[in-house]
Amino acid sequence: MRPVRLKALLLDLDDTLIDNPMDSFIPAYFAALREWVAGVVPPERFIAELKAATRAMAANDGSGPSNEEVFAAAFYPALGVPRGELEPLLDRFYREAFPRLAPLTAPRPAAPRILEWAHARGLQVVIATNPLFPRSAIEQRMAWGGIGVDRYRYALVTSYENCRATKSHPAYYREILAALGRHPDECLMVGDRWDWDIACAGAAGIASYWIAEPAAAAQAAEVEPVGRGSLDDFLVAALGGAFDSERFEPQVREALR
Ligand SMILES: [Mg+2]
């Protein structure tokens, strides 16, 4: 990977900027959805088709329409309920029921400080969360973490409306580069998932910082993150000037090992 001249910071959301363990969040989210639609659709069928349509969306590789449209094309016909009927109900779910999931997540104090550091340096900041959710569900999670769109300026927040690929494909990162007008060697991705955040960003030529325990095992030898640690560790490295140099990669390695 070439040296990085940092112009844009790409930040994963769940378990990177906020605590949001998917093992507890997803079951609670599905349970809330099941209850919400119970009067209109058999709940078990709803969840089965939701999972199938989410898999179809995860396969979107940048060659098709938006993730939202891929989801809709798989979901509503399979369920046998007109989109025009169910979509307003789901919109209301995100406005009225989704907020009740907030206590399952927790803010990470380093997150706003990282945003302040990035803004002070004039970096473009992207919330690079896997775009499987509507924008409302993403903006709410950001607000729960004290890093809402009303508090900080973002160059881009990826959501299922504005993406044509997911983090299962390097096309996701190429779309971000195109939206920012940046080259891969001007960006750094920070995230906790090896496959989505580190390996996939690396496949698009983007360097990464892995939010992981020191003992966590990397899963592919061909990608090497420039650093690894907690979000607090990343903040300390950033404030210590680890990313200020034109060629920050070797310095980060020294600072963190
Ligand atoms: Mg994550």
Side-chain angles (χ1 to χ4, degrees):
M1 201 154 301
R2 286 153 59 196
V4 179
R5 292 161 198 81
L6 193 59
K7 302 280 190 226
L9 187 64
L10 282 48
L11 300 165
D12 173 54
L13 181 59
D14 297 305
D15 286 333
T16 294
L17 293 178
I18 65 171
D19 280 352
N20 190 5
M22 289 292 125
D23 292 351
S24 48
F25 187 82
I26 294 291
Y29 168 55
F30 279 6
L33 260 176
R34 248 197 318 263
E35 193 183 323
W36 191 262
V37 301
V40 181
V41 192
E44 292 315 320
R45 176 121 185 266
F46 179 90
I47 295 299
E49 296 302 345
L50 180 73
K51 287 180 177 170
T54 301
R55 281 195 297 275
M57 183 163 53
N60 202 16
D61 64 358
S63 60
S66 70
N67 292 345
E68 178 181 22
E69 292 309 315
V70 170
F71 176 84
F75 185 61
Y76 298 106
L79 210 51
V81 179
R83 182 176 179 176
E85 190 178 316
L86 198 48
E87 212 168 44
L89 186 68
L90 294 177
D91 288 346
R92 237 179 62 228
F93 169 82
Y94 286 107
R95 281 198 308 272
E96 296 174 20
F98 195 79
R100 294 200 285 269
L101 299 172
L104 297 172
T105 71
R108 290 187 170 179
R113 298 189 62 195
I114 288 167
L115 291 170
E116 276 149 28
W117 167 80
H119 285 134
R121 288 201 71 214
L123 303 179
Q124 290 174 304
V125 177
V126 176
I127 297 299
T129 181
N130 206 4
L132 302 168
F133 287 95
R135 186 168 180 104
S136 161
I138 294 164
E139 289 192 354
Q140 288 188 57
R141 300 207 301 288
M142 292 165 67
W144 301 343
I147 51 167
V149 293
D150 56 334
R151 298 183 67 169
Y152 295 98
R153 193 163 25 86
Y154 297 98
L156 179 66
V157 176
T158 65
S159 66
Y160 88 162
E161 294 93 339
N162 65 12
C163 292
R164 297 182 307 139
T166 68
K167 282 189 181 176
S168 303
H169 305 277
Y172 167 77
Y173 289 99
R174 290 192 203 106
E175 285 197 325
I176 292 176
L177 295 172
L180 298 180
R182 290 294 171 198
H183 295 289
D185 57 10
E186 296 175 312
C187 302
L188 179 68
M189 172 68 191
V190 181
D192 68 296
R193 283 256 327 220
W194 179 268
D195 50 353
W196 291 352
D197 300 326
I198 309 304
C200 199
I206 298 173
S208 58
Y209 185 100
W210 191 24
I211 302 300
E213 298 292 324
Q219 288 159 39
E222 66 268 25
V223 182
E224 190 181 359
V226 299
R228 147 205 311 209
S230 67
L231 195 67
D232 291 332
D233 294 332
F234 178 82
L235 174 65
V236 167
L239 294 178
F243 306 109
D244 288 346
S245 155
E246 285 233 320
R247 300 171 63 91
F248 72 59
E249 192 172 358
Q251 294 193 352
V252 174
R253 290 219 174 102
E254 272 170 34
L256 295 172
R257 294 202 175 158

